[in-house]
Amino acid sequence: MTTSRRKFIKISALGLGGLATTSSAFNMFGVNSYLDAAVKENIAKKFVRSATYCEVCFWKCAAWAYTDENDDIKKIIGNEDDTHCNGRLCPRGTGGVGMYSDEDRLKTPLIRTTINGEETYREASWEEALDLIASKFKDIKEKYGPESFALLKHGSPGSHLEHLFKAYGSDTIAEPAYAQCRGPRETGFGLTFGSWIGSPEPTDIRDTKCLVLIGSHIGENMHNSQVQEMSDAIDNGATIITVDPRFSTAASKSKHWLAIKPATDIALLLSWMHVLIEEGLYNKDYVEQYTFGFDQLKEHVKPFTPEWAYGITTIKPEEIRKTAHIMAAAAPSVIVHPGRHVVWYGDDSQRERAIAILNGLLGSWGNRGGFYFKESLKVPKYPHPEYPEPRWGWKDIGKQYPFAEMGITSELVKATLPSEDNEYPIKAWMVAGTNLINTLPEREKTIEAINAVEFLVVIDTMPMEITGYADVVLPECTYLERYDGIRSATNRIPSIAVRVPAVKPKYDSKPAWWISKQIGERIGLGDYFDYNDFEEVIEWQLTKLGTSLDEMKKIGVKNFERTSGPLFLEEGQEYEFYTPSGKIEFYSQQLANKGFDPMPVYTRHPEPPQGFYRLNYGRSPMHTFSRTINNPNLNDLKSENTLWVNPKVARILGLKKNQEVWLKNQDDIVSTFSIKVRVTERVRWDSVYMYHGFGHNNKKLTRAFGKGVSDTELISQTVIDPLMGGTGLRGNFVSILTENPHKTSEI
Amino acid sequence: MRYAMVIDTLKCVGCSDCVVACQTENNVPHGYCRDWITESVSGSYPNVELELKSERCNHCDNAPCVRCCPTGASHIVEGGVVLVTANECIGCGACIESCPYDARYQHPDGYVDKCTFCHHRLEKGQLPACVSVCPTKCMYFGDLDNPNSEVSQLLKNRKYKTLAPEAGTNPHVFYLI
Ligand code: SF4
Ligand code: SF4
Ligand code: SF4
């Protein structure tokens, strides 16, 4: 966030001298405001717009990319008809232009080679790079079976490559978005309501009377329509309650901010349940009709009084009661939000269970202002031969975690580490669209696994830390330069959106669908790629859906009527939930059967030792993880992160604003780079905070290199969620170093 | 006609979308901006307050930047919009010094640039780029001379402030508080 305008301007002003030579530029487009109207009209007409959906984050807002007469992308504007964005992109989507124009992009395929004893990359043709990759696919299959080739992915390119891997016979597939992010909430809500939350979250925020955020920082995470709806809720006078040890932006919009002691959320949730039940404030009809295990729950939460919770959470009993009363008064038009990045302390699925149960008590699931019944359109599968049945895959690798429903990236990493008794040995990786080095905790392990694989191919648009470890690097073109799968998302109404290239791929970059097809054909899987261009695939699918590529190019987004019934429950309506009991499960027999707590309990988590502070991290509204930091447009808004420190801590340690410090964690891991101190009352004295994604150490990222500290490199301890394998990341502690610990060594 | 912008600080999340949208709309070179975000924090933990604001040229009625401009490049057009004619600007920077809001910058091409309320869009009946993208819809734009306009109504019914009123510039960007 820019706090000082002077600082924002990085280039000093030119004096008079520059004037004479540049005056001709004044007549060019947009150089300054006051061109004559006719000229402007003329220029504006030359803009051509192409339908796309944004890939700067997973929200996938439909948009129009505007290109000028030089085939340069000038701006990207939200599609008015799209429910993900309502015509307004978030800053990252607006700044998506920079993804295309970034001159640091990967430009050609690269192959690792040794020159004079030094490892380096040499540029290669696609032909050569693809041949090499194909030979490795064959090789791994022959030596170990196709299962030993793993795909680690994120975003749209992932689905094209997933097709390749499944055709090849490997289901050893995972994405960090599950076990390093939102997995626990899907498990917690799945066990309770029989339904995943999914994306976008089916929260009816715009019509809610009360929105409760547990550590969820909407507004700093720019999950677009959700941010928009929070703003609508503010307009409508909704009460926002935010539980967060940090005074987040959302907290500043809240009537009640509960400044909770970190790692104690479950205690608060249990005591809220206690108040609702003991004071008879829960939604009785709803609980009666739709839930299972209320009596057990009542018994279970009896001891969890607000006074009990006060001792744990530091939130005053009267505040706990008051906020419980507000929720009850708003019910069923209340949302206790599941959050999104929820891998915190290892008991995260159980915390999400507690959140789900609280929603059940309030009757918000299936009610206006609570959670709606989402719906999406099924896009027909383009015909291809059946996939072979792999001998093992992600499920087997994660079998220790009975409630895992997707591949656990961190477990795939473990299965890659050499060991004698490894049932599921992974020998090669393809990494697409995810910077594993900055995504996974316990970096040492990731690097050990990387060193162990026989082959690593990385597909990305940008040089990232992970690309530096690859044997082969393939430059993917950006979302603005390619066709991709049809976006069909869950929402209030079903909708589809298309992505059409606005411009030709820059440099020698290629779309992921083409890469998959090329590899597929080289390893005898041509039948799975029975088309010349991906355009044909979506054309075929769109026709099946009753539209056409031509129509979709003109409208970008098409909305459909619901067919699954109303958004909300009707009064007293019979409804069967997809749980074993057919009801909302307060008590989970499924959990009990597997030896887990059938109802959530609070457990104490480690606290920072003397001289250490809990390392908390979150999102900057201008960036998506580590992948946008080098984007010229977004880097302009925020180029480095700062370390948020409470003034008390600053006083004790003698820290000044903007002072450069280094961080050292409980395992003696020292940050590679320094970070500037931000002294602020917005953070507690027992923790420090920073934006995630900064501290890049790939020199090829000319803007992002060395700017700020990577929180991920300091996360060397994780607590694994025993239900689904999520990696709890918030139990790491740092001390603050004021002297450069790297003085003698070179970075 | 008197254009004004009204920004609801209760809804702004400080995301800077308004900044990027302005930069792409108006070809503002990297490293410069016509609008920017300020964050002010008051109180002490856990009784903290935070105000986020999107700031820009206030299109002042009593604009010192226009008064001090030696060439007349800085001028006021219909609707009260303060503009700079690039090819009349000699880049002397007097206006930059005179503006109490630090709203102007020297373009690398030598002239002075700043927010135009997206005058080129207004002419086409479009909203300024920042207003049109803001995800929280916390920015409003319209005609203060029309008592029924959204901006007039907001200022009638809500509490608001302007920046540095003591400077006597009579600014036309209003902040709902
Ligand atoms: S939320 Fe922002 S970054 Fe994500 S898809 Fe939408 S516009 Fe793009
Ligand atoms: S786009 Fe809107 S919400 Fe975002 S910073 Fe600007 S005014 Fe605030
Ligand atoms: S804000 Fe500054 S630049 Fe804009 S009109 Fe007022 S004095 Fe002039």
Side-chain angles (χ1 to χ4, degrees):
Chain A
M1 220 153 293
T2 9
T3 44
S4 148
R5 169 146 173 84
R6 291 278 182 211
K7 228 169 48 204
F8 189 87
I9 299 170
K10 293 174 201 136
I11 307 163
S12 63
L14 264 188
L16 281 169
L19 203 70
T21 50
T22 53
S23 56
S24 61
F26 293 151
N27 296 322
M28 275 158 47
F29 170 63
V31 176
N32 202 10
S33 60
Y34 213 47
L35 294 171
D36 116 278
V39 177
K40 268 179 308 191
E41 272 305 319
N42 213 1
I43 290 166
K45 266 193 208 123
K46 290 205 183 118
F47 277 144
V48 177
R49 66 175 202 181
S50 324
T52 188
Y53 58 88
C54 180
E55 181 81 14
V56 188
C57 89
F58 40 72
W59 211 256
K60 298 193 162 67
C61 299
W64 297 108
Y66 286 80
T67 41
D68 68 6
E69 64 279 16
N70 301 321
D71 250 359
D72 200 12
I73 302 176
K74 298 314 276 187
K75 56 183 178 183
I76 309 172
I77 307 284
N79 186 317
E80 292 279 344
D81 296 322
D82 184 34
T83 52
H84 293 230
C85 76
N86 304 301
R88 292 162 184 258
L89 297 182
C90 88
R92 300 162 301 157
T94 307
V97 186
M99 241 172 112
Y100 165 72
S101 63
D102 195 329
E103 67 290 353
D104 291 339
R105 278 174 60 172
L106 291 169
K107 299 181 177 75
T108 84
L110 300 169
I111 293 179
R112 180 180 289 266
T113 176
T114 311
I115 297 177
N116 301 332
E118 268 205 41
E119 294 211 3
T120 178
Y121 286 111
R122 65 176 172 82
E123 296 188 358
S125 67
W126 276 97
E127 215 48 41
E128 187 192 0
L130 292 166
D131 284 346
L132 175 59
I133 295 167
S135 74
K136 295 293 176 180
F137 265 86
K138 288 186 193 151
D139 202 33
I140 296 286
K141 190 172 192 165
E142 259 162 45
K143 284 206 304 216
Y144 314 101
E147 300 84 356
S148 288
F149 209 140
L151 170 65
L152 302 160
K153 60 170 184 108
H154 184 91
S156 300
S159 49
H160 299 294
L161 296 156
E162 191 169 338
H163 176 59
L164 169 70
F165 271 71
K166 286 187 170 158
Y168 168 65
S170 170
D171 199 20
T172 310
I173 300 174
E175 51 187 89
Y178 182 68
Q180 280 68 49
C181 197
R182 63 190 174 89
R185 75 167 194 199
E186 310 302 359
T187 301
F189 274 70
L191 285 167
T192 314
F193 292 105
S195 169
W196 273 32
I197 292 292
S199 179
E201 290 81 6
T203 43
D204 191 24
I205 298 178
R206 68 178 184 207
D207 283 331
T208 197
K209 292 193 188 124
C210 177
L211 173 64
V212 185
L213 302 173
I214 316 280
S216 165
H217 55 347
I218 301 179
E220 281 158 291
N221 76 38
M222 289 304 292
H223 304 161
N224 198 346
S225 43
Q226 190 159 268
V227 177
Q228 299 188 12
E229 291 200 18
M230 184 169 87
S231 180
D232 294 340
I234 293 172
D235 266 343
N236 297 337
T239 305
I240 304 176
I241 298 169
T242 298
V243 179
D244 200 319
R246 182 180 65 101
F247 190 64
S248 60
T249 300
S252 78
K253 312 283 178 208
S254 304
K255 285 206 186 93
H256 298 274
W257 169 42
L258 307 186
I260 195 166
K261 178 172 165 185
T264 65
D265 310 81
I266 295 183
L268 172 67
L269 292 161
L270 290 170
S271 87
W272 269 339
M273 293 179 207
H274 171 98
V275 175
L276 293 178
I277 295 178
E278 288 304 311
E279 298 186 22
L281 298 173
Y282 63 96
N283 195 331
K284 296 197 187 73
D285 292 343
Y286 184 95
V287 166
E288 171 83 14
Q289 186 176 1
Y290 298 117
T291 70
F292 169 82
F294 176 74
D295 293 338
Q296 286 106 313
L297 180 69
K298 182 172 177 179
E299 220 20 62
H300 178 64
V301 300
K302 207 160 243 158
F304 305 135
T305 61
E307 285 69 22
W308 166 83
Y310 175 46
I312 296 166
T313 61
T314 72
I315 299 170
K316 294 202 180 82
E318 58 270 25
E319 262 190 291
I320 298 178
R321 289 208 170 81
K322 197 199 294 163
T323 42
H325 295 170
I326 293 170
M327 286 182 235
S333 178
V334 50
I335 299 162
V336 188
H337 199 283
R340 186 144 184 145
H341 179 77
V342 291
V343 282
W344 301 352
Y345 309 113
D347 53 1
D348 305 303
S349 297
Q350 290 284 14
R351 185 184 63 253
E352 291 294 323
R353 273 269 295 153
I355 294 174
I357 293 171
L358 189 60
N359 279 300
L361 283 172
L362 294 160
S364 61
W365 190 270
N367 271 310
R368 183 172 300 281
F371 293 78
Y372 58 78
F373 295 123
K374 60 193 180 196
E375 186 176 324
S376 65
L377 206 70
K378 208 156 176 51
V379 177
K381 277 247 172 307
Y382 190 76
H384 63 72
E386 273 208 29
Y387 292 136
E389 190 64 42
R391 291 168 301 153
W392 51 271
W394 64 263
K395 250 190 213 135
D396 306 276
I397 295 169
K399 68 182 171 200
Q400 239 187 297
Y401 304 99
F403 297 101
E405 292 188 70
M406 282 176 77
I408 304 167
T409 311
S410 34
E411 293 299 310
L412 264 61
V413 169
K414 276 188 215 155
T416 310
L417 298 173
S419 94
E420 299 277 289
D421 50 357
N422 191 351
E423 276 180 273
Y424 312 115
I426 296 176
K427 299 292 184 182
W429 285 6
M430 177 181 280
V431 179
T434 173
N435 185 15
L436 289 185
I437 303 292
N438 257 330
T439 306
L440 294 177
E442 304 181 85
R443 186 172 289 180
E444 247 172 59
K445 247 191 224 161
T446 313
I447 292 176
E448 213 188 311
I450 288 173
N451 285 330
V453 287
E454 291 179 13
F455 186 64
L456 170 60
V457 49
V458 172
I459 302 175
D460 214 317
T461 62
M462 293 296 298
M464 288 290 175
E465 281 69 27
I466 184 72
T467 38
Y469 291 96
D471 296 304
V472 180
V473 179
L474 299 181
E476 195 199 6
C477 59
T478 68
Y479 67 103
L480 296 160
E481 304 159 290
R482 67 186 189 223
Y483 281 105
D484 248 319
I486 294 167
R487 183 207 80 185
S488 163
T490 55
N491 226 311
R492 289 186 178 88
I493 48 167
S495 73
I496 53 169
V498 292
R499 180 179 283 159
V500 171
V503 287
K504 284 207 253 345
K506 221 179 189 171
Y507 312 117
D508 201 6
S509 63
K510 298 281 188 192
W513 68 259
W514 182 88
I515 297 171
S516 300
K517 182 172 152 68
Q518 290 293 321
I519 298 173
E521 284 169 353
R522 281 172 168 75
I523 57 175
L525 301 173
D527 289 354
Y528 287 86
F529 301 90
D530 189 17
Y531 42 83
N532 293 315
D533 200 302
F534 201 71
E535 194 179 347
E536 291 165 37
V537 176
I538 55 177
E539 173 86 76
W540 181 88
Q541 291 172 319
L542 291 169
T543 316
K544 293 263 171 209
L545 290 169
T547 166
S548 66
L549 187 54
D550 266 351
E551 183 190 26
M552 290 305 292
K553 278 183 178 170
K554 280 184 213 120
I555 58 178
V557 165
K558 197 173 174 86
N559 293 316
F560 293 80
E561 301 274 320
R562 282 176 71 89
T563 55
S564 65
L567 268 180
F568 303 111
L569 294 165
E570 322 247 319
E571 180 102 30
Q573 182 193 328
E574 296 271 311
Y575 190 86
E576 182 154 347
F577 291 84
Y578 295 106
T579 55
S581 65
K583 306 235 175 213
I584 299 168
E585 301 203 334
F586 289 171
Y587 181 92
S588 172
Q589 193 59 50
Q590 290 195 75
L591 283 175
N593 289 349
K594 298 275 182 200
F596 298 115
D597 293 318
M599 289 172 292
V601 294
Y602 164 72
T603 33
R604 244 191 94 147
H605 296 293
E607 287 183 29
Q610 186 73 32
F612 283 82
Y613 303 89
R614 188 182 296 274
L615 174 64
N616 283 335
Y617 58 85
R619 300 286 297 278
S620 147
M622 304 82 164
H623 287 290
T624 305
F625 322 135
S626 63
R627 50 198 284 221
T628 57
I629 310 292
N630 203 68
N631 173 321
N633 295 69
L634 302 179
N635 187 275
D636 225 15
L637 302 173
K638 182 137 211 72
S639 58
E640 60 188 296
N641 57 356
T642 55
L643 185 73
W644 297 28
V645 175
N646 184 280
K648 281 194 193 124
V649 175
R651 225 169 11 248
I652 294 167
L653 301 179
L655 300 175
K656 303 255 156 359
K657 179 180 162 191
N658 286 333
Q659 180 176 344
E660 269 183 68
V661 296
W662 291 258
L663 301 175
K664 181 164 155 177
N665 82 354
Q666 71 281 336
D667 297 326
D668 284 342
I669 294 176
V670 179
S671 62
T672 311
F673 303 109
S674 66
I675 185 168
K676 288 187 188 127
V677 168
R678 173 189 180 183
V679 181
T680 176
E681 294 284 1
R682 293 179 64 187
V683 68
R684 261 174 84 102
W685 50 88
D686 57 1
S687 32
V688 291
Y689 180 84
M690 65 172 79
Y691 285 137
H692 167 75
F694 291 85
H696 273 290
N697 61 4
N698 186 340
K699 287 199 170 125
K700 300 227 159 64
L701 297 167
T702 51
R703 274 173 294 272
F705 173 78
K707 294 290 171 56
V709 159
S710 156
D711 53 305
T712 318
E713 74 173 335
L714 298 166
I715 300 180
S716 53
Q717 297 280 343
T718 59
V719 190
I720 312 280
D721 190 318
L723 274 61
M724 48 61 70
T727 49
L729 305 176
R730 300 243 161 124
N732 287 267
F733 309 109
V734 293
S735 61
I736 300 170
L737 312 176
T738 50
E739 294 284 325
N740 186 350
H742 303 296
K743 252 184 201 147
T744 47
S745 62
E746 213 173 282
I747 300 167
Chain B
M1 173 93 85
R2 190 18 166 139
Y3 288 123
M5 195 178 278
V6 175
I7 302 176
D8 191 345
T9 63
L10 302 186
K11 294 201 290 179
C12 173
V13 293
C15 70
S16 301
D17 203 4
C18 45
V19 180
V20 216
C22 171
Q23 288 169 327
T24 55
E25 176 70 30
N26 295 303
N27 272 355
V28 179
H30 290 312
Y32 297 86
C33 58
R34 288 177 172 190
D35 56 345
W36 62 97
I37 309 302
T38 59
E39 170 184 342
S40 43
V41 181
S42 53
S44 59
Y45 196 99
N47 298 304
V48 197
E49 279 181 47
L50 165 68
E51 188 184 76
L52 294 161
K53 276 199 299 329
S54 171
E55 297 186 11
R56 59 187 47 57
C57 168
N58 283 277
H59 297 274
C60 308
D61 261 353
N62 183 18
C65 57
V66 173
R67 264 183 286 126
C68 76
C69 178
T71 66
S74 278
H75 62 291
I76 301 183
V77 298
E78 144 118 74
V81 182
V82 177
L83 296 174
V84 183
T85 308
N87 49 10
E88 285 173 21
C89 172
I90 54 165
C92 73
C95 55
I96 298 180
E97 290 309 313
S98 79
C99 171
Y101 307 99
D102 206 2
R104 294 171 166 242
Y105 72 95
Q106 194 119 21
H107 193 282
D109 285 348
Y111 59 87
V112 168
D113 189 39
K114 66 165 197 69
C115 160
T116 61
F117 268 171
C118 280
H119 194 257
H120 63 291
R121 291 174 58 100
L122 300 182
E123 283 177 331
K124 285 192 267 172
Q126 296 172 334
L127 289 169
C130 53
V131 179
S132 76
V133 296
C134 171
T136 67
K137 284 174 257 151
C138 74
M139 315 173 84
Y140 305 87
F141 189 84
D143 180 10
L144 270 193
D145 284 347
N146 174 356
N148 296 321
S149 68
E150 198 173 28
V151 285
S152 300
Q153 288 296 316
L154 281 165
L155 295 185
K156 198 174 129 202
N157 299 320
R158 292 271 307 265
K159 248 170 79 176
Y160 67 86
K161 65 175 180 188
T162 53
L163 301 183
E166 68 283 356
T169 54
N170 195 2
H172 275 68
V173 177
F174 300 86
Y175 294 93
L176 302 177
I177 47 176

